[in-house]
Amino acid sequence: MANGNHTVVYLSEQVVVLCSCALSFLGSSLIILTYIIWPDLRTTPRRLLVCLSVSDWLSAVSYAFGVWRVFSTDSLDCVVQGAISTFANTSSFFWTMGIAVYLYVFIVRSSQRVADSLVLVFHLVSWGVPLIITVAAVSLNKIGYDASEVSVGWCWVKIHAPDRILWMLLTGKIWEFLAYLTLPVLYILIKRHIHIAGIGNTSQGAANCIMFVLFTQPIRTRLCSALCCSSKCQTEAEHSHDAPHGLLPGQDTSTQREEDGTGRAGNDR
């Protein structure tokens, strides 16, 4: 809560925000670790999700530090924290929109090739634009103690900057507004496309299966191997059932006749 030019942070606010940051940190770390540990799950959608998780991880760490530190002046660590949170938060909005565009092209336009070709653009925009904005803001001395109602102890745009409204828009709010406008439209179009296909409201699991199983080469290979193995076992069982009595699996009829002849010769002796 802002009191004049000083932000008063209550202990209850600190606890709530720190818990939220901890959950975001753990969730983002889990996504990143599973991507690193299991190479066979490194599909394009998961790679985009990991990039978003990296931004969220940085954002959670920077905000947690700011809430724990509770800045009151434009110190060096305040500027560093404000710069990292500005970059991470802006990057997170861009990656969220990038993933929505990827899903739209992949599902609605039914073009995996075009969707994959946009990945490089997503990287250039989602990392490059936030970096340029953050470097410009720091270079022009716009990042520092903000003492605003929208922060809980962390630093952002300086409260005394005459053009602070413009920089608040550039360093986060305008991209947040665009995300709020763009994301519902894209996901409504995706939902409408799925509904028009006759799939209905129960298609979310199927869409996830197509996206993360059927289009994942290692998982698809494992499924095919399992199915082929099952079919092979069934075929061998049928052949074994149709074979002459006493014929072992893998033993042909000539071998069986030879064994029968040897047995009769032994009995004659």
Side-chain angles (χ1 to χ4, degrees):
M1 181 178 66
N3 183 11
N5 288 332
H6 181 70
T7 301
V8 179
V9 182
Y10 299 109
L11 179 60
S12 59
E13 293 177 328
Q14 284 182 289
V15 172
V16 171
V17 176
L18 286 174
C19 289
S20 176
C21 290
L23 292 175
S24 180
F25 173 84
L26 292 175
S28 301
S29 299
L30 183 60
I31 293 174
I32 296 171
L33 286 175
T34 54
Y35 182 84
I36 295 174
I37 293 172
W38 292 311
D40 56 343
L41 298 181
R42 295 175 186 175
T43 59
T44 301
R46 283 190 175 87
R47 186 160 65 249
L48 299 179
L49 181 61
V50 166
C51 292
L52 173 61
S53 299
V54 170
S55 299
D56 292 338
W57 190 92
L58 287 173
S59 181
V61 171
S62 62
Y63 283 142
F65 179 76
V67 174
W68 173 76
R69 180 73 167 74
V70 187
F71 296 106
S72 58
T73 59
D74 292 327
S75 58
L76 177 61
D77 51 352
C78 171
V79 176
V80 173
Q81 183 271 317
I84 294 175
S85 63
T86 296
F87 170 79
N89 207 33
T90 307
S91 178
S92 179
F93 287 127
F94 276 106
W95 276 117
T96 302
M97 289 190 290
I99 292 174
V101 171
Y102 182 91
L103 293 176
Y104 172 79
V105 175
F106 185 88
I107 297 174
V108 179
R109 297 301 179 183
S110 301
S111 179
Q112 184 181 6
R113 181 182 60 82
V114 176
D116 290 341
S117 67
L118 293 174
V119 173
L120 178 60
V121 178
F122 295 154
H123 279 282
L124 292 176
V125 173
S126 300
W127 298 126
V129 174
L131 182 62
I132 293 173
I133 293 174
T134 303
V135 170
V138 173
S139 300
L140 296 174
N141 199 26
K142 303 298 180 181
I143 300 296
Y145 180 66
D146 62 352
S148 66
E149 293 283 358
V150 299
S151 70
V152 188
W154 57 73
C155 295
W156 188 27
V157 177
K158 285 186 176 181
I159 190 65
H160 296 296
D163 52 353
R164 60 182 179 276
I165 302 298
L166 173 62
W167 282 101
M168 284 181 179
L169 291 173
L170 289 175
T171 57
K173 290 303 177 183
I174 190 171
W175 314 117
E176 184 177 353
F177 294 149
L178 288 176
Y180 291 154
L181 292 176
T182 304
L183 293 177
V185 173
L186 290 175
Y187 284 116
I188 287 173
L189 291 174
I190 294 173
K191 184 71 174 179
R192 180 175 176 271
H193 174 79
I194 294 175
H195 181 71
I196 291 176
I199 299 176
N201 294 331
T202 60
S203 62
Q204 295 180 1
N208 290 335
C209 177
I210 293 172
M211 196 71 164
F212 298 104
V213 176
L214 299 183
F215 280 97
T216 302
Q217 179 63 34
I219 297 178
R220 187 168 66 245
T221 302
R222 293 175 186 178
L223 286 176
C224 290
S225 299
L227 292 175
C228 290
C229 181
S230 176
S231 177
K232 182 179 179 181
C233 291
Q234 183 178 0
T235 303
E236 290 179 354
E238 292 175 356
H239 284 309
S240 176
H241 178 74
D242 295 335
H245 180 70
L247 187 63
L248 298 176
Q251 181 182 31
D252 56 19
T253 56
S254 60
T255 305
Q256 177 69 18
R257 288 195 297 267
E258 290 176 0
E259 291 178 356
D260 290 341
T262 303
R264 286 195 298 269
N267 290 333
D268 291 338
R269 287 195 297 268

